[in-house]
Amino acid sequence: MKLPVFAALVAISLPATAATSAAQTHELRRDRQDIREAEDNLDRARRYGERRHVREAQKDLRDAHREYRADWREHRVRNRNLYARGDWHAPFRYQWFVPGAGIGPGYYSRRYDIGDFRRYHLPVPPRGARWVRHYDDVVLVDFKNGRVVNVIHDFFG
C-alpha cells in the first residue's frame, strides 16, 4: 500500500521540479542576455564619450551582474544535491591547475568525466576536450595532449 502512494507522490512532484528547473534556467539565460546588452550599452556610451551615459551604463552592468549572481546562488541552493561535494576519493592529492598546464592521464580519466555538462550549466567543450572533476574544481582538458584548456575553481564548493 505504501509503494503506490509513494509512486504517486513522486509522479506528482516531478513535473513541478522540472518546471522549476526550466524556469531557473530560463531566468539565468535572461540574466546573461541582460549582461550582454549592458556591456553593449557601455561600449556604445564610451564610444560617444558622454560621461553621464557611461556612468548609467556602468550602473546597469553592475546591476545585471548582481542579479545574475543572486539568481545563480538561488539556483545552486534549490539544486543543492546537484552541486553536493559527494563522498568520493581521488587516488591523488589536490593540485591547483591553470590553463596551459600539462597534466597526467590519471587526472582526466573517464572516471572523473562530467558527461552531462549541460546539467551543470557548463559550456559545450570543443572537439577533443572534455570537462572533468578535480576535487571541487571543474577542469576542461584536451585529452589528446593532456593540456588544461580552462578551469573553474571551487565549482562544487
Side-chain angles (χ1 to χ4, degrees):
M1 179 65 183
K2 291 180 182 179
L3 187 60
V5 172
F6 178 73
L9 288 174
V10 169
I12 291 170
S13 68
L14 281 178
T17 306
T20 303
S21 179
Q24 287 175 342
T25 302
H26 178 71
E27 192 170 342
L28 288 170
R29 224 179 265 136
R30 190 179 61 234
D31 288 344
R32 285 193 296 264
Q33 179 64 33
D34 289 346
I35 289 172
R36 282 192 291 273
E37 288 174 5
E39 288 171 343
D40 291 344
N41 290 339
L42 179 60
D43 289 342
R44 206 172 299 117
R46 283 184 177 151
R47 228 176 301 136
Y48 294 118
E50 296 182 24
R51 287 186 182 192
R52 181 175 53 96
H53 293 299
V54 170
R55 282 194 302 272
E56 289 173 4
Q58 287 172 334
K59 182 186 178 303
D60 290 344
L61 182 58
R62 277 193 307 271
D63 291 345
H65 276 290
R66 190 175 298 123
E67 185 176 337
Y68 176 75
R69 284 191 302 268
D71 288 342
W72 179 247
R73 274 192 298 272
E74 182 181 334
H75 171 76
R76 285 183 66 133
V77 166
R78 285 189 178 170
N79 297 294
R80 191 172 299 275
N81 61 340
L82 183 64
Y83 297 97
R85 290 179 181 252
D87 187 23
W88 64 283
H89 303 285
F92 41 76
R93 292 183 7 206
Y94 176 78
Q95 183 175 346
W96 182 273
F97 290 119
V98 294
I103 62 174
Y107 286 97
Y108 58 93
S109 67
R110 287 283 178 193
R111 178 179 179 185
Y112 308 110
D113 193 16
I114 298 176
D116 193 5
F117 53 88
R118 286 183 181 90
R119 181 177 177 194
Y120 295 98
H121 300 283
L122 293 168
V124 178
R127 173 169 260 134
R130 65 177 175 240
W131 290 103
V132 294
R133 180 174 182 166
H134 178 65
Y135 288 84
D136 284 344
D137 299 343
V138 176
V139 182
L140 182 62
V141 179
D142 183 349
F143 60 91
K144 291 180 181 173
N145 61 15
R147 294 280 176 202
V148 175
V149 178
N150 191 7
V151 182
I152 302 173
H153 293 285
D154 204 28
F155 185 79
F156 292 98

